[in-house]
Each structure stands twice: as C-alpha cells, then as structure tokens.
Amino acid sequence: MAKIKPRVKVPRKAEVGDVVTIKTLISHPMESGQRKDRKTGEVIPRKIINHFKASFEGEVVFDASIEPAVSANPYFSFDMTVPKAGTVTFEWIDDDGSVYTAEKKIAIG
Amino acid sequence: MDFSRRTFCQLGVGAAALTLAPSLPALASTDPVQDAILAFTGGAMPGEGDIELTTPEIAENGNTVPVEVSADGAATIMLLAAGNPNPGVATFTFGKLAPYRSAATRIRLAQTQDVIAVAKLESGAFTMVQRTVKVTIGGCGG
Amino acid sequence: MKKLVLLIASSTIAGFALAGPGPDDNTLVIEGETLISEVKTTGDHPLDTIYSGWRFRKPETQALETDDFENPAMVAVDYAHDLWETPAGASNQSCANCHGGVEEAMAGLRANMPLWNEAAGKPWSLEHWINWSIQEHQGADPWKWESPEMLAMTALIGLQSRGEPMTVQTDGPMAAWIERGKDLYYTRVGQLDMSCNQCHEDNYGQMIRADHLSQGNINGFPTYRFKWSGLGSLHRRFSGCMKNIRATPYKRGSDEFVALEAYLASRGAGLSIETPAVRN
C-alpha cells in the first residue's frame, strides 16, 4: 500500500468511568533496514514509524517507541478510562520527520 | 549463523541470577538482550510474576506475530525479541487514564526465539516474563 | 539462515509432504455474519468437499479476518472509498457521480467474476472491468494490475460481495474458457514439472515444509497475505506459484490466467466470497 493512512477504532459513546478498547493501525511498510535490493545488492535504508502516541484532551494515555521489529502496517490496541466527553488524538511519527494524525470524539451517554 | 539460547533464571525474591549460554565468555558484555534489560532497569535484576505475555505457540508467519502484554500497575513495558538481529521491539508507556496496563501489537520474529517483556511498575520494581515462539520459514506463492 | 528450497524435482510430491492437520472445524463468522467455508460438491467434481483457504490457517490468522478493524486489508478499503469519491480524468467525474453509492452499485458483482464481456468476446476479470470504466467513462489513465489503487478498489468492490456464494457462469461462451482453465490446472509445467492439482487436489491439508496446503480456492481475493505484508491480486498469486515451480508465469490479465480464474471460480462454486481475506 503506497499511501500512509491511519485508521482508528474508538467507541462513539460511553458512560463516565467506562473502560473502552481503542485500536489503531497505520498503513506503512516499516522498512526495517535489513533488506537488500535484489538487483543492486544495496541495503534498503530503514524508514519506519518510530513513535506513536494517543492522548485524551491533551493527556497522554498510551505512548509507544517503536523499533523495526514491529510489523508492517503497525497495529496497537490498548484500553482507556473515559473521564468525560472529549477528543482522543493520535500521532504517528515517521523516521523522515513526517507526522500523521487522527482524532475521534467520545460523547457521554 | 550462531544462535545461542539464553536463559534468565531468577532465584527467589531479592536475589536473581542471569545465566548466559556456555558459548559466551562469562565476562563479556556483548549480550545485547542482557544489556537492553539492564539499561531499562538501571542495573537491577527483574523479578518475576505479575506480568503476562500472550504469544502464539507457532507463528503462521514470522513477519506478523500478534502479541499482547499486560502488567497491573506498570508504568512502562519493554518488549524484546531475543533472536532478532536487534532485540528491541517496542517500549510502551502508560498514562493515568490507562486502567489496564496492557497493549497488543504485531511483531516481526526472524526465527524461533524467546519474546521477553520487562515491566517497570509504578512502585519502582521490575518484573519480567518470556515465552518461546516457534517461527517456521515457508511461503508458497511469490 | 538457509534459503528455503521449496521442492526437489520429482515425479510425485507424495513422499515429501508430511502428514498435516488438515482443514479445521472452525466456523467463519465475520462481523456477526456466518460465511460458508465448506461445500459438499455434486456431480463429477474431483473433490467431495471444498474448503475455503481460511480453514487451513492458524487461529491467530483466522481471527484477523473476523473483525473489520483487525483485518489489515481494511485500510486499503478506506483508501478505495476515497478513490470512489475522487473525480478523475478528462471527464472530471468520480465513480460516485455515475454509480452512486458503492454498496448498492457493486453488490454481488465480484461473486460472478470473471464475467463474460460480449463486446470483447471473452470473460473479463474485475480489474479489466474497472480499467475499462476508468478509461471509457472517466477518460483517465488505467491503473496497473498490482497498483495500490487497483488492489484497494478490487478489495472494496469485492467486499460488496462478501457472504455471497461464488457463482461464475459455466455455460454458453464460458464453457470453453472453463475447459481451458481446467487444462491449465492439470498440465505440468516448469523445471519442477508440476501442476496445480498435485498440491491443491492430491495433497491439500498436508504440510509442504512449513506451509499448510489449502485447496487453492479463490474466494478471498484480493487477499492480505502476511508474506506480502499487504494486499495482492489473484493473478499475482498464480504468478508466484508458477515461479515456485520454476515455470515462466503468464502475465496478469492474460487469457491464461483469466481462464484459470474462471475454472477455479467454478471449482470453488458455493463458497462465500471473503474478500478481502487474510492469509499467510
């Protein structure tokens, strides 16, 4: 998949105090830096998502520093307590400095 | 390619011993897995218990192995793959809004090896668990 | 680590296949819907029961297909939704402008592939139909067979047939193409001098080295394969198999692969479409 696209699953609604499971994925080849170009024999340079962070209303819930041993199209799933209505923001950082983001709102009710 | 099997043995609370495979000289500090663990713990030996690591017994494909790790009260959990070219996999840090200090992801394993999880608990203690995952090399169909 | 040598040339592979676990008994339920992964055949089908490739995979792999978030192919489906709405070509029209919503417009279409095209005088794979519409109606450049756009769009369109039984036309002009596909299926080729049936009919359920052989049904394509770390087309899969037996593969979209696709669609008739499936 050539495009780097995030995908997140967050419940749209919850009660205060509920624990929700949040799932995230971003399409990314996670080039490990271990592979060699078949024709030239040169090492294909590393280019991965090296950091992922999920925050609720600015407060970090889950943070992952990532090595090339994480699979292509990196997937992370974790739980969060919902303290109130608010927005979950997600951020992925690429070796090349690009930052990819996504956000989802959780309503109470 | 050399593949040495490392075993970590902890003996009782407060006392732990790390044993390297006999083929490595005892004084050498060249074990990257041990180095990674000690760097994480600041030199302390991790205990065991209160940490769970879920991995398949046999991976369908070494490039996508689902794993889940969880440790009550963990501030940070580090995942290592002892038989990969580099042992580091990922380090998870949990905020106050994370009730179950657990995370699931998919990892690459280059060969049959131990996956190791080390947790730093909020109490300041460290705990560790490891599981062997068999990785078969196959793959019909280009 | 030794490079894997998949097979040693031999007139039969029976001696090299170790006893394997066979297809399991699991029921395929995707997002609450039960799919048919096993069909008792009738007539002179060479197999008594046909199974989806899903039934040959490990539980962790199977689980990834049962949930539309866990399924790593779905991010490509998202991309295709965007493409569906994007104007393209001289016409500056999007797919949606003519077709409306993809769910209604493309419902059931992939289940009938490859579909006879009267004007062309041959059956067309889904990729052929998509590219024809792109060029004819949008006035845009066609997509390469294995491009991210084509894989995403065939996955999105295929998804609108998920749960439908695979049903290809077998009579009329399709009969000759299916016969040709059957010939290809049973003809030995390549340096290893092998044919599809030797693995997928005679030895399905066995282990070939580390791989668990399926019957080679096509109801899940395009498929997310771990080996590819991404989606891949059916014709890519055919091509890979041919390379494994050291044969020169036919081209994607070739008459040979379309004929083979038609035969396999008839051979797996009744299995639910699982597109986009998750496999090894």
Side-chain angles (χ1 to χ4, degrees):
Chain A
M1 279 168 261
K3 300 219 104 189
I4 297 174
K5 253 179 99 73
R7 193 160 200 263
V8 298
K9 184 171 180 180
V10 177
R12 267 184 240 127
K13 278 200 227 173
E15 302 292 340
V16 171
D18 273 357
V19 174
V20 297
T21 300
I22 294 178
K23 299 184 181 186
T24 72
L25 184 141
I26 185 166
S27 60
H28 192 288
M30 298 291 281
E31 192 59 63
S32 64
Q34 297 282 333
R35 296 200 309 158
K36 286 197 180 140
D37 185 304
R38 267 185 213 167
K39 292 177 194 152
T40 67
E42 306 263 309
V43 170
I44 302 171
R46 165 187 149 150
K47 184 174 180 296
I48 67 166
I49 296 288
N50 60 50
H51 207 98
F52 166 72
K53 190 166 69 175
S55 310
F56 181 79
E57 293 292 311
E59 185 184 331
V60 175
V61 180
F62 177 78
D63 178 285
S65 70
I66 301 164
E67 303 288 337
V70 169
S71 300
N73 307 315
Y75 166 93
F76 296 107
S77 171
F78 54 93
D79 298 308
M80 185 185 88
T81 310
V82 181
K84 55 180 181 177
T87 304
V88 191
T89 52
F90 305 90
E91 184 181 275
W92 293 261
I93 303 178
D94 192 309
D95 277 346
D96 71 6
S98 307
V99 179
Y100 302 94
T101 59
E103 60 175 52
K104 283 275 170 147
K105 291 188 168 47
I106 302 183
I108 299 295
Chain B
M1 175 172 143
D2 256 355
F3 177 58
S4 50
R5 204 160 160 72
R6 298 177 198 83
T7 320
F8 290 92
C9 305
Q10 289 98 20
L11 307 168
V13 175
L18 286 171
T19 321
L20 299 175
S23 60
L24 294 177
L27 296 175
S29 59
T30 52
D31 182 346
V33 178
Q34 183 186 16
D35 288 349
I37 293 176
L38 294 180
F40 182 70
T41 67
M45 300 301 180
E48 58 180 21
D50 296 329
I51 179 171
E52 271 175 39
L53 177 60
T54 308
T55 53
E57 201 185 312
I58 307 176
E60 177 101 69
N61 188 303
N63 71 20
T64 310
V65 183
V67 306
E68 189 167 340
V69 64
S70 119
D72 268 350
T76 317
I77 301 180
M78 177 177 73
L79 266 184
L80 299 173
N84 272 358
N86 299 299
V89 179
T91 302
F92 304 125
T93 305
F94 301 95
K96 288 196 313 304
L97 286 178
Y100 314 129
R101 303 304 167 86
S102 75
T105 185
R106 299 166 187 161
I107 71 176
R108 291 168 165 153
L109 297 178
Q111 57 186 321
T112 294
Q113 60 186 286
D114 290 336
V115 178
I116 300 169
V118 190
K120 175 180 180 177
L121 306 176
E122 272 161 351
S123 61
F126 294 93
T127 184
M128 189 173 105
V129 68
Q130 67 187 44
R131 286 175 59 88
T132 307
V133 180
K134 295 198 186 89
V135 177
T136 53
I137 314 289
C140 291
Chain C
M1 213 176 320
K2 293 194 196 101
K3 277 220 172 301
L4 172 73
V5 175
L6 191 58
L7 280 175
I8 302 164
S10 161
S11 58
T12 171
I13 67 166
F16 294 93
L18 304 170
D24 60 37
D25 282 331
N26 296 340
T27 305
L28 175 54
V29 180
I30 302 182
E31 296 285 323
E33 185 191 347
T34 303
L35 272 67
I36 297 171
S37 64
E38 174 180 338
V39 174
K40 296 254 178 301
T41 60
T42 54
D44 57 1
H45 196 292
L47 298 168
D48 290 330
T49 311
I50 51 171
Y51 298 99
S52 162
W54 182 83
R55 297 278 290 271
F56 295 85
R57 302 272 58 88
K58 294 202 165 51
E60 295 83 13
T61 308
Q62 291 182 322
L64 291 190
E65 190 178 309
T66 61
D67 177 302
D68 277 352
F69 192 87
E70 299 290 313
N71 186 330
M74 291 304 178
V75 65
V77 170
D78 282 352
Y79 177 42
H81 272 295
D82 290 344
L83 289 170
W84 185 265
E85 305 285 337
T86 305
S91 68
N92 205 37
Q93 298 283 295
S94 69
C95 315
N97 285 138
C98 292
H99 287 290
V102 66
E103 289 83 1
E104 306 86 50
M106 299 289 130
L109 181 62
R110 183 252 176 276
N112 303 128
M113 290 292 155
L115 189 60
W116 180 257
N117 182 316
E118 191 60 47
K122 51 168 78 168
W124 273 7
S125 301
L126 184 55
E127 290 88 340
H128 289 126
W129 287 103
I130 292 171
N131 267 341
W132 165 73
S133 199
I134 286 176
Q135 293 176 268
E136 188 73 22
H137 302 139
Q138 286 183 311
D141 291 328
W143 292 332
K144 285 206 159 104
W145 199 274
E146 215 68 42
S147 62
E149 288 71 28
M150 184 58 90
L151 289 168
M153 190 55 74
T154 49
L156 173 63
I157 292 176
L159 177 59
Q160 310 317 315
S161 288
R162 190 169 69 184
E164 298 293 317
M166 191 157 62
T167 318
V168 73
Q169 180 190 352
T170 54
D171 59 8
M174 287 300 292
W177 283 82
I178 289 179
E179 197 57 38
R180 185 173 177 192
K182 184 175 173 184
D183 273 343
L184 287 164
Y185 191 84
Y186 286 99
T187 302
R188 291 159 67 149
V189 292
Q191 220 176 5
L192 298 185
D193 195 32
M194 296 186 62
S195 51
C196 315
N197 60 296
Q198 287 179 294
C199 285
H200 292 295
E201 182 174 306
D202 300 339
N203 285 290
Y204 73 85
Q206 311 255 42
M207 301 300 292
I208 184 162
R209 283 270 193 130
D211 238 354
H212 192 189
L213 279 173
S214 72
Q215 291 180 339
N217 280 307
I218 65 172
N219 54 310
F221 280 90
T223 282
Y224 187 96
R225 284 192 80 206
F226 294 151
K227 188 170 204 280
W228 298 331
S229 285
L231 275 174
S233 71
L234 175 62
H235 292 194
R236 176 179 180 180
R237 193 70 179 77
F238 288 161
S239 185
C241 279
M242 291 187 76
K243 286 185 202 162
N244 280 155
I245 59 175
R246 305 291 187 265
T248 306
Y250 302 111
K251 295 249 173 290
R252 294 175 180 42
S254 61
D255 286 355
E256 289 86 355
F257 277 172
V258 174
L260 188 54
E261 182 182 337
Y263 172 65
L264 287 172
S266 73
R267 195 179 157 98
L271 291 171
S272 297
I273 299 293
E274 292 174 28
T275 307
V278 179
R279 301 282 188 264
N280 182 7

